[in-house]
Amino acid sequence: MKLVRHGAAGAERPGLLDSAGRVRDLGAHVADIAREVLRPEAMAALAALDPESLPLVEGHPQRDLRLGPCVGHVGKFIGVGLNYADHAAEAGMDLPQEPILFTKWTSSIAGPDDPLSLPPGSTATDWEVELGIVIGAGGRDIDMADALRHVAGYCVVNDISERDWQLRGGGTWDKGKGYDGFGRIGPWLVSADEIPAPHELRLWLEVDGHRYQQGSTATMVFGPAELVAYCSRFATLHPGDIIATGTPPGVGMGQKPPVYLRPGQIMRLGIDGLGVQTQHVTGG
């Protein structure tokens, strides 16, 4: 099951993709793809619906029908740093002994294909394709053996980062990770039953057709189950919370010399089975 939020920014409606890739409206069944709707029993009720019985939404998703962030009203947006050994090496940082956690402010969340406006004066805005874990059954101190049972589904995340603010301005990483539009989620939330091996997914990212990132979640230092369990040690996880699990090598900061985003460029990124995002870069 692929769940979406469609329509104008701030007024998205819930929907799901049918077998033809068209959006069917879920407004008669749920208010949004958010919070309690992501609990296991609610997800099971949505999965039991016949998509063909739902109203067909006009337009084609990601063409003439805008898709918003695939999860609404996110409570916590947790990032994981340096979770691929080869990415840590390109960043010149030691391999972590425990997951490195940071927060992306929820105001950074934007639709998968909305234009990216560079922060004023930024010269070091970078890209990071990542697997996103969306929590379904909340909990605290979750056992790793049970962790994936707490997952509603998975999505593509672009953890956009301003490197000057993240690394060279002092303080924590959060300000370099939290600018408006720096948290792209979607195009859809794919239910966990459709992704039986989240630790074996191919990720990629291109800028203007040049492929910078190419990797697999198989090379994560800490896998999805371990990350869910670890994050739940420090905060109760709630339905709709998102964990961005880290990025493979190929970020702009790791190029020699470094390469960063410029107005007029186009980013495309995707993960096998989870869809593709496209972002036009503006501003700066």
Side-chain angles (χ1 to χ4, degrees):
M1 180 171 60
K2 294 180 175 65
L3 299 174
V4 301
R5 299 172 71 248
H6 61 92
E12 292 93 348
R13 291 179 56 82
L16 60 76
L17 288 190
D18 64 18
S19 59
R22 299 288 298 275
V23 175
R24 300 282 178 158
D25 190 76
L26 283 172
H29 297 273
V30 295
D32 202 351
I33 306 301
R35 296 174 177 165
E36 302 304 307
V37 172
L38 298 169
R39 290 188 179 277
E41 58 274 15
M43 290 285 284
L46 292 180
L49 296 173
D50 176 10
E52 303 303 317
S53 70
L54 302 171
L56 181 65
V57 177
E58 184 177 353
H60 294 78
Q62 299 190 281
R63 285 167 49 190
D64 52 357
L65 174 63
R66 176 187 177 270
L67 298 183
C70 60
V71 178
H73 307 287
V74 175
K76 289 187 285 296
F77 194 178
I78 302 168
V80 181
L82 304 178
N83 196 32
Y84 289 72
D86 33 13
H87 171 55
E90 74 173 353
M93 298 181 182
D94 293 335
L95 198 65
Q97 299 304 303
E98 294 189 25
I100 296 172
L101 304 184
F102 59 90
T103 58
K104 287 185 76 75
W105 298 318
T106 56
S107 55
S108 73
I109 293 174
D113 306 313
D114 292 343
L116 169 66
S117 178
L118 296 177
S122 170
T123 59
T125 297
D126 205 345
W127 53 80
E128 295 190 14
V129 60
E130 307 196 4
L131 173 67
I133 298 172
V134 179
I135 299 299
R140 178 76 186 270
D141 294 322
I142 296 168
D143 189 279
M144 190 169 76
D146 297 325
L148 294 187
R149 298 177 188 173
H150 290 257
V151 175
Y154 303 92
C155 65
V156 180
V157 173
N158 192 356
D159 173 23
I160 301 167
S161 309
E162 214 294 336
R163 300 302 189 187
D164 282 336
W165 296 343
Q166 177 192 354
L167 300 172
R168 291 185 281 277
T172 67
W173 287 8
D174 300 351
K175 62 184 182 297
K177 297 281 191 174
Y179 194 84
D180 290 1
F182 274 25
R184 304 307 179 102
I185 59 173
W188 29 77
L189 167 62
V190 181
S191 56
D193 61 290
E194 291 197 8
I195 308 295
H199 56 287
E200 297 178 356
L201 300 176
R202 186 178 65 99
L203 310 84
W204 57 270
L205 182 145
E206 299 173 348
V207 179
D208 287 346
H210 178 81
R211 183 155 294 193
Y212 283 97
Q213 291 192 274
Q214 179 82 51
S216 169
T217 58
T219 64
M220 284 181 172
V221 179
F222 307 103
E226 189 170 2
L227 291 176
V228 171
Y230 187 82
C231 290
S232 76
R233 288 172 52 186
F234 306 102
T236 299
L237 299 178
H238 295 102
D241 287 349
I242 297 175
I243 303 171
T245 58
T247 198
V251 299
M253 180 177 64
Q255 307 302 308
K256 300 187 185 304
V259 176
Y260 295 117
L261 292 169
R262 304 186 307 275
Q265 292 184 313
I266 298 174
M267 270 189 297
R268 292 186 73 249
L269 58 144
I271 301 176
D272 285 352
L274 300 181
V276 174
Q277 301 182 2
T278 302
Q279 292 134 29
H280 293 248
V281 182
T282 67

